[in-house]
């Protein structure tokens, strides 16, 4: 597979692109981002696993092929184009509900900024770009779960605290 984008570029906010530092790009995840360190960026979040290129492509290709189905998975990255490296990443997936008259809800997941790049507003740009995608795709709300220490960050992005998260681990 050559360097294929997960979804169409017209969903990427031009305002967010304009606000990035020079030589940085915000765009859909691409199959070639394996070499640009996408999985290493996610390591600030949790254990990622040592994917072979084949294992990475298996998941990328699955998401790409199934994105027209029940949920739609938009993963985006910010790249440093001088170093040709991924420096930040995030996902919004769109859930199709019955309530709110077949309403759509955006769920933000796996927000990660490379440890050496934190504090430069890249996280904020990723969130604003994901909110833009959710709004453009017709979501009536966009929600996420986070730790208490990240609440001030999400408040700065425009979110307000609601409900509680529950989890069950298999
Ligand atoms: N507490 C208080 N304020 C914060 C925090 C924090 N923990 N993090 C960021 N902020 C503030 C910044 O000071 C900034 O405020 P300002 O506009 O007044 O200057 C504003 O929020 C925007 O901050 P960014 O520079 O965009 O933050 P950054 O690029 O570092 O991204 C992130 C924040 C995503 C939390 C990053 O630090 C990171 O990757 N952390 C490790 C992984 C993680 O916790 N990811 C989120 C998991 S939750 C989820 O995925 C749904």
């Amino acid at each position: 597979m050559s360097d294929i984008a997960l979804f169409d570029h017209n969903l990427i906010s031009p305002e967010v692109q304009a606000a990035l530092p020079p030589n940085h790009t915000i765009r859909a995840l691409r199959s070639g981002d394996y070499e640009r360190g996408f999985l290493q960026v996610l390591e600030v979040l949790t254990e990622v696993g040592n994917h072979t290129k084949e294992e990475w492509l298996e998941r990328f290709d699955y998401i790409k092929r199934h994105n027209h189905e029940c949920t739609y998975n938009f993963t985006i990255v910010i790249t440093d184009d001088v170093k040709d490296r991924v420096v930040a990443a995030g996902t919004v997936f769109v859930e199709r509900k019955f309530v709110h008259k077949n309403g759509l809800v955006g769920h933000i997941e796996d927000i990660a900024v490379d440890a050496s790049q934190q504090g430069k507003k890249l996280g904020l740009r990723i969130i604003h770009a994901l909110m833009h995608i959710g709004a453009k795709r017709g979501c009536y709300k966009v929600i996420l779960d986070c730790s208490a220490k990240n609440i001030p960050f999400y408040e700065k992005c425009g979110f307000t605290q609601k409900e509680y998260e529950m989890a069950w681990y298999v």
Side-chain angles (χ1 to χ4, degrees):
M1 193 191 278
S2 58
D3 205 7
I4 290 169
L6 196 57
F7 61 90
D8 200 276
H9 190 73
N10 68 13
L11 282 172
I12 300 294
S13 163
E15 290 79 16
V16 172
Q17 176 61 57
L20 289 181
N23 304 313
H24 284 65
T25 302
I26 189 156
R27 58 163 174 76
L29 183 70
R30 286 193 197 146
S31 53
D33 287 337
Y34 178 84
E35 279 87 12
R36 298 187 189 94
F38 170 73
L39 295 172
Q40 285 75 27
V41 170
L42 294 187
E43 280 170 7
V44 297
L45 275 170
T46 187
E47 186 203 330
V48 178
N50 289 316
H51 298 60
T52 62
K53 176 113 189 238
E54 192 180 32
E55 287 163 338
W56 150 263
L57 286 177
E58 183 186 311
R59 177 50 48 91
F60 183 93
D61 189 42
Y62 182 93
I63 296 171
K64 173 97 184 154
R65 276 188 287 115
H66 292 269
N67 250 350
H68 62 287
E69 292 177 359
C70 190
T71 59
Y72 206 119
N73 187 330
F74 300 94
T75 298
I76 60 172
V77 295
I78 294 175
T79 53
D80 176 330
D81 299 327
V82 174
K83 296 182 177 155
D84 196 27
R85 297 294 291 173
V86 171
V87 290
T91 294
V92 60
F93 70 88
V94 176
E95 174 199 5
R96 291 173 195 280
K97 287 190 169 292
F98 285 109
V99 297
H100 289 269
K101 210 167 187 181
N102 293 348
L104 303 179
V105 172
H107 297 260
I108 284 182
E109 289 282 341
D110 295 348
I111 304 304
V113 177
D114 183 78
S116 68
Q117 302 297 312
Q118 291 176 9
K120 298 180 178 178
K121 300 267 196 291
L122 299 181
L124 181 102
R125 306 295 177 221
I126 286 279
I127 296 297
H128 283 170
L130 296 175
M131 292 159 80
H132 177 87
I133 291 172
K136 264 201 126 178
R137 290 304 299 235
C139 295
Y140 72 91
K141 68 175 177 181
V142 175
I143 57 177
L144 60 87
D145 293 328
C146 71
S147 60
K149 81 172 169 53
N150 281 334
I151 289 173
F153 165 69
Y154 288 110
E155 285 175 339
K156 291 215 162 144
C157 294
F159 283 72
T160 49
Q161 197 180 348
K162 292 264 211 175
E163 316 289 352
Y164 294 91
E165 181 195 71
M166 306 289 282
W168 178 70
Y169 288 87
V170 180

